[in-house]
Amino acid sequence: MLFMQIVSIFSWKIPLGEGIEKIIDFIIENFSGPIELFTGLIDFLIENFEIFIMDGFPISHLIVNIILITIFIYSRKKDKKVALYTGAGMLVAVFIASFFYGFELIYSMGHPFLVISAFALIAWTAKSYRLAIFVVLGLALMWNIELWEEVIETLALIITAVLVALVIGIPVGIIKAHNKYVHYIVRPILDFMQTIPPFVYLIPALMLFGLGNVSGTIATVIFAIAPPIRLTYLGITQVDDEIIEAGKAFGSSWWQMLFKIELPAALPSIMMGINQCIMLALSMVVIASMIGAGGLGEPVRLALSRIDIGLGFEAGLGVVIIAIMLDRIFGRNE
Amino acid sequence: MAEKVIEVNNLFKIFGKNPEEAFPLIEKGLSKEEILEKTGNTVGVNDVSFTVNKGEIFVVMGLSGSGKSTLIRCINRLMEPNRGEILIEDTDVSKLSKEELMNFRKEKFGMVFQHFGLLPYRTVQKNVEYGLEVKKVKPSTRKKRAREAIKKVGLEGWEDQKPQNLSGGMKQRVGLARALAVDPDIFLMDEPFSALDPLIKKEMQDQLLELYEEVKKTTIFITHDLNEALKVGDKIAIMKAGKIVQMGSQEEILTNAANDYVRDFVKDVDRSRVLKARDIMIKPKTLLKPDQGEGPRTAIHKMRENEISSIIVVDKDKKVMGILKIEEALKILQNKDDENLKKYIKEIPRVDPGDTMDDMFAQIAELDIPLPVVDKNDELMGIIIKSNVLSNLAPEKVI
């Protein structure tokens, strides 16, 4: 009798999987409102980034675009002249392009010609003309092999995912650096998110957010959020003690310490976190396509199921080109 | 004149999980090591009290681990003291709330750090502006005051450089300018020149003293170098294992070492560069005052009585007229030349009370007559003779 009981104890399975299922079911049943709201927000972001880059745009948006790029360049180069020349150059480029493709182009920001020249200009002013040449050749190749829409959708997905990851990740990293309890809670969660196979959380993401870009983005955020948190934390905790003391000794408040001392001193580390985040987000493109996310992942998945070597290679090359382009633009200056 | 600015009373700082555990043991008089072994707490600052007057440079000296850096950090509460009072112009810093402390630091303290503590991502100008920026001073005023401070430390033309492009000495000038720019009441200097090489260090000390001639700021200055302490300090405290073992003026520290610890420090000091004429001069045993009718006979009598071979001659205002040697005095008697006493008085070199022994060496070497120490009006303050020079150069007082 006793023997049987011992055997039955050892053969009892802890209902871990069932538990997780129940938790997800509970969330779906009770929090459908907030989830829908969140889904809507993410969807809105992705669509708008896509529209922003690709679809028809009125002229006012075009000008907003040019101004944004000018500000971006100014923030990178700290040189008003370069930024203004670039902005003016872009306007000229738009007009020259309109001679080739007709004046209705001015009403549409989406023409690949403009997108390519915009990225090339960013690459040129942020880094070097060599990178600009690479961007032009790479993106033009994508345009030529008719993967342009996928490239744009991938960019929109990545920008959204990275944006969400940074908006959550950097503040969490900051809090983690200042509060050891948060640190001890967040650390195992990050370990978990970084090491669990992404396929595993595709399923609950699918159940919570449905098939499509939103689930893909959420999965990407989970996959890519660890580096910005970790590197923000690392950057802030590694700030030289004497600088911290100097800041305090001159009477800085908590916010002044954060914005004038800690974040600027940790900036190289945070930038590395952003860069890593982008790279990880890109590597999720193909996996996310399994739950209906669009972009370059889709042709890769199709190629896999059809054993289409050519298509698979083309789409894969697109991911590589975007990866190199973003890595160089957001990477550290050598 | 002697207005108290800083007063520290019975300050304790104990590192560890349960600082309170350590207090009964401190009261029993256990050593730092014993307390660490028994409670796991480290005594940083142990019952320190001192006062600093307005415009004074108070030097805290000690080896590493003696608690001197902890002490200075307790003053502006970069570290929280466990017990004790820190009165700055009647405000008890240890009782201020977070908010009050922040504002107090803005107004009162300027701090200079051993490794400069400069913000590497800011230019020299922006670094110097930092304290003013925190105080929310208008950008235009801020710029102006930062430029003035940069000029004071002699770094004009370097405003737009990043700290990484500067040498150690220049970096510390930036640190100094940053503290100067906010124009605080009190300077806290934590081993400001310790990371610099000896030549630059000397230059910086000189510059600091030069700056202080313009505006004398109440200063707490931490160092592990006794020569530096003696050079810049008005008052010196020597710390060991968290306690102040001796406190006093330069001469007091040098001449009356309180215990072996202080004696060990003092032993290595190049006394010739530290001791000044005023520290080693003695009161002349006797003087010749012709204005009171004293003549050659009195002179000979005085010299015989005091067993000396020459006598300093002063007028009625105590101004030094010169020296009369015994041979000369005898000559006057032989020649019966009493009226021309002045002819026999020899002119002699004089020294300033602030001259160091180093400065006086040339004169001292050839000294067979006393060297008068005179003030600005040529009035006699004291004399220096060879024997007291030599006894002062010996590391321990030879009696």
Side-chain angles (χ1 to χ4, degrees):
Chain A
M1 253 337 253
L2 185 71
F3 177 73
M4 289 304 284
Q5 264 178 348
I6 293 169
V7 167
S8 73
I9 285 171
F10 279 108
S11 62
W12 180 70
K13 181 178 170 285
I14 299 167
L16 191 61
E18 287 88 338
I20 298 287
E21 255 170 52
K22 279 199 178 119
I23 292 170
I24 297 293
D25 283 342
F26 178 79
I27 293 173
I28 292 171
E29 265 169 43
N30 294 286
F31 296 98
S32 59
I35 289 173
E36 257 171 46
L37 203 72
F38 190 64
T39 311
L41 177 73
I42 299 289
D43 227 3
F44 175 80
L45 280 173
I46 298 168
E47 267 172 33
N48 276 287
F49 280 124
E50 217 176 322
I51 289 168
F52 195 72
I53 308 173
M54 192 158 90
D55 286 356
F57 249 59
I59 189 152
S60 60
H61 283 167
L62 177 60
I63 289 168
V64 167
N65 250 10
I66 290 175
I67 290 170
L68 281 178
I69 291 169
T70 311
I71 292 169
F72 172 77
I73 291 162
Y74 176 63
S75 70
R76 296 283 313 209
K77 283 276 169 179
K78 296 284 173 216
D79 187 347
K80 273 183 197 147
K81 263 190 202 161
V82 171
L84 286 175
Y85 286 158
T86 316
M90 284 179 64
L91 278 175
V92 172
V94 169
F95 282 108
I96 292 172
S98 64
F99 276 109
F100 290 103
Y101 297 98
F103 281 97
E104 70 272 21
L105 181 82
I106 295 176
Y107 295 98
S108 151
M109 181 58 186
H111 199 279
F113 184 90
L114 284 179
V115 177
I116 292 172
S117 54
F119 274 106
L121 277 166
I122 292 172
W124 185 24
T125 42
K127 292 289 140 108
S128 65
Y129 70 93
R130 268 166 292 164
L131 181 59
I133 291 169
F134 170 81
V135 168
V136 169
L137 293 179
L139 292 182
L141 178 67
M142 287 298 109
W143 183 16
N144 180 270
I145 60 177
E146 287 165 5
L147 283 172
W148 183 252
E149 281 180 27
E150 281 81 2
V151 166
I152 297 301
E153 197 168 3
T154 298
L155 274 173
L157 281 170
I158 286 168
I159 291 172
T160 310
V162 168
L163 211 66
V164 173
L166 295 184
V167 164
I168 300 170
I170 291 177
V172 169
I174 292 169
I175 298 167
K176 190 167 170 271
H178 286 105
N179 187 318
K180 66 176 177 187
Y181 297 108
V182 174
H183 171 66
Y184 287 131
I185 293 166
V186 171
R187 199 169 55 172
I189 298 176
L190 288 186
D191 290 337
F192 184 82
M193 290 200 309
Q194 269 189 310
T195 48
I196 197 164
F199 293 99
V200 174
Y201 50 79
L202 288 185
I203 310 158
L206 193 63
M207 288 172 74
L208 287 170
F209 304 104
L211 199 72
N213 280 340
V214 177
S215 307
T217 307
I218 302 292
T220 308
V221 168
I222 293 172
F223 188 67
I225 201 170
I229 296 180
R230 288 225 153 109
L231 285 158
T232 304
Y233 166 80
L234 189 74
I236 290 181
T237 48
Q238 282 184 341
V239 177
D240 186 9
D241 280 346
E242 235 180 24
I243 299 182
I244 300 277
E245 282 191 332
K248 285 186 184 160
F250 284 96
S252 314
S253 66
W254 195 88
W255 291 105
Q256 283 171 330
M257 286 299 296
L258 184 65
F259 284 106
K260 289 180 194 288
I261 308 263
E262 289 170 345
L263 286 181
L267 193 65
S269 181
I270 295 172
M271 284 306 289
M272 208 188 282
I274 295 173
N275 183 289
Q276 289 294 301
C277 182
I278 294 171
M279 292 302 111
L280 284 182
L282 260 169
S283 64
M284 268 298 277
V285 164
V286 176
I287 296 170
S289 74
M290 292 179 66
I291 48 171
L296 285 165
E298 225 179 336
V300 171
R301 194 175 48 81
L302 271 177
L304 191 64
S305 57
R306 290 189 208 148
I307 320 187
D308 184 340
I309 300 171
L311 178 66
F313 185 78
E314 282 173 357
L317 191 64
V319 175
V320 172
I321 288 168
I322 294 177
I324 294 177
M325 184 175 91
L326 294 180
D327 179 57
R328 296 297 186 275
I329 291 176
F330 290 97
R332 265 156 53 95
N333 281 310
E334 288 301 320
Chain B
M1 180 61 198
E3 188 190 329
K4 240 189 277 167
V5 176
I6 306 172
E7 184 179 352
V8 172
N9 290 324
N10 308 94
L11 192 75
F12 286 91
K13 171 68 190 174
I14 286 146
F15 298 102
K17 281 191 178 142
N18 290 310
E20 290 302 320
E21 276 179 12
F23 282 109
L25 299 179
I26 290 174
E27 273 158 33
K28 272 192 219 158
L30 266 67
S31 77
K32 194 174 166 176
E33 288 76 23
E34 287 169 320
I35 294 171
L36 178 64
E37 203 178 298
K38 284 199 176 146
T39 65
N41 293 313
T42 310
V43 181
V45 174
N46 185 352
D47 199 8
V48 164
S49 306
F50 61 85
T51 60
V52 185
N53 293 331
K54 200 177 167 87
E56 221 172 31
I57 304 184
F58 180 75
V59 176
V60 180
M61 205 197 65
L63 299 174
S64 52
S66 61
K68 53 194 196 306
S69 284
T70 310
L71 175 64
I72 202 170
R73 278 167 177 71
C74 284
I75 307 251
N76 65 351
R77 271 176 64 193
L78 285 178
M79 286 178 181
E80 293 291 340
N82 296 87
R83 280 186 193 178
E85 277 187 324
I86 304 152
L87 295 169
I88 310 269
E89 291 162 354
D90 299 325
T91 312
D92 190 348
V93 179
S94 60
K95 291 199 176 62
L96 293 178
S97 71
K98 254 188 175 173
E99 193 83 2
E100 288 168 330
L101 177 66
M102 223 171 70
N103 291 323
F104 199 78
R105 282 174 178 164
K106 278 181 206 166
E107 298 303 323
K108 298 288 176 191
F109 296 118
M111 196 159 178
V112 181
F113 295 88
Q114 182 175 7
H115 302 291
F116 325 125
L118 301 180
L119 311 177
Y121 44 88
R122 286 183 171 224
T123 59
V124 168
Q125 168 84 21
K126 288 277 173 193
N127 260 292
V128 175
E129 276 181 28
Y130 185 80
L132 301 166
E133 206 177 302
V134 169
K135 272 171 101 171
K136 300 210 165 73
V137 174
K138 265 194 307 190
S140 55
T141 327
R142 203 198 283 165
K143 250 186 203 151
K144 209 180 105 227
R145 279 172 67 181
R147 274 187 199 275
E148 280 167 10
I150 290 170
K151 200 175 161 192
K152 266 190 203 158
V153 297
L155 273 184
E156 291 145 299
W158 291 87
E159 287 92 344
D160 297 327
Q161 295 290 325
K162 291 271 175 73
Q164 67 197 37
N165 301 332
L166 306 183
S167 68
M170 292 164 100
K171 281 182 192 165
Q172 196 54 294
R173 274 163 218 248
V174 179
L176 211 55
R178 180 170 63 180
L180 280 171
V182 285
D183 194 25
D185 297 344
I186 296 163
F187 271 144
L188 301 175
M189 302 201 177
D190 181 24
E191 302 209 32
F193 307 141
S194 297
L196 307 175
D197 61 63
L199 277 178
I200 306 290
K201 191 168 170 175
K202 189 176 173 300
E203 207 182 301
M204 293 292 290
Q205 291 163 352
D206 291 338
Q207 200 184 7
L208 183 76
L209 292 176
E210 223 169 86
L211 276 172
Y212 271 50
E213 266 167 32
E214 276 177 50
V215 214
K216 259 221 148 175
K217 292 269 183 202
T218 314
T219 302
I220 296 184
F221 190 107
I222 304 286
T223 181
H224 59 243
D225 175 355
L226 186 62
N227 280 316
E228 184 170 80
L230 295 166
K231 186 166 180 180
V232 302
D234 294 318
K235 203 196 273 180
I236 298 164
I238 296 179
M239 275 186 91
K240 184 196 177 190
K243 266 179 150 21
I244 289 184
V245 289
Q246 191 177 4
M247 182 154 57
S249 66
Q250 305 175 355
E251 301 93 278
E252 282 171 308
I253 299 280
L254 273 184
T255 47
N256 303 311
N259 57 25
D260 289 346
Y261 183 75
V262 181
R263 220 163 287 138
D264 273 349
F265 267 120
V266 174
K267 197 169 68 186
D268 296 330
V269 171
D270 182 356
R271 290 161 163 263
S272 67
R273 280 166 52 189
V274 173
L275 289 178
K276 303 211 164 103
R278 86 159 71 79
D279 305 329
I280 56 167
M281 70 187 183
I282 53 168
K283 209 169 160 279
K285 284 175 181 156
T286 176
L287 293 167
L288 187 67
K289 296 166 184 159
D291 288 350
Q292 292 174 15
E294 295 178 347
R297 276 170 208 83
T298 330
I300 291 166
H301 174 75
K302 279 185 171 175
M303 282 188 253
R304 281 210 180 116
E305 197 152 77
N306 292 298
E307 295 174 322
I308 50 177
S309 60
S310 55
I311 189 163
I312 289 178
V313 189
V314 294
D315 68 7
K316 61 177 186 306
D317 296 326
K318 256 192 124 184
K319 280 191 183 160
V320 177
M321 297 166 71
I323 197 158
L324 184 67
K325 292 189 178 171
I326 196 150
E327 311 87 273
E328 303 288 323
L330 290 170
K331 238 186 245 171
I332 300 172
L333 291 185
Q334 275 170 16
N335 301 348
K336 297 199 166 45
D337 204 5
D338 280 27
E339 288 89 72
N340 291 324
L341 178 66
K342 289 219 171 93
K343 225 171 65 187
Y344 296 89
I345 298 171
K346 290 260 166 63
E347 191 53 37
I348 45 166
R350 289 131 217 235
V351 292
D352 192 79
D355 286 355
T356 61
M357 284 166 74
D358 228 15
D359 301 330
M360 301 182 293
F361 256 135
Q363 286 131 305
I364 292 169
E366 296 150 17
L367 209 62
D368 52 355
I369 49 169
L371 194 59
V373 181
V374 295
D375 67 6
K376 280 187 208 112
N377 306 320
D378 213 23
E379 268 174 46
L380 185 71
M381 296 172 74
I383 58 165
I384 293 172
I385 55 174
K386 217 177 204 168
S387 62
N388 64 10
V389 170
L390 293 177
S391 72
N392 270 298
L393 275 181
E396 302 262 338
K397 201 97 182 169
V398 183
I399 301 161

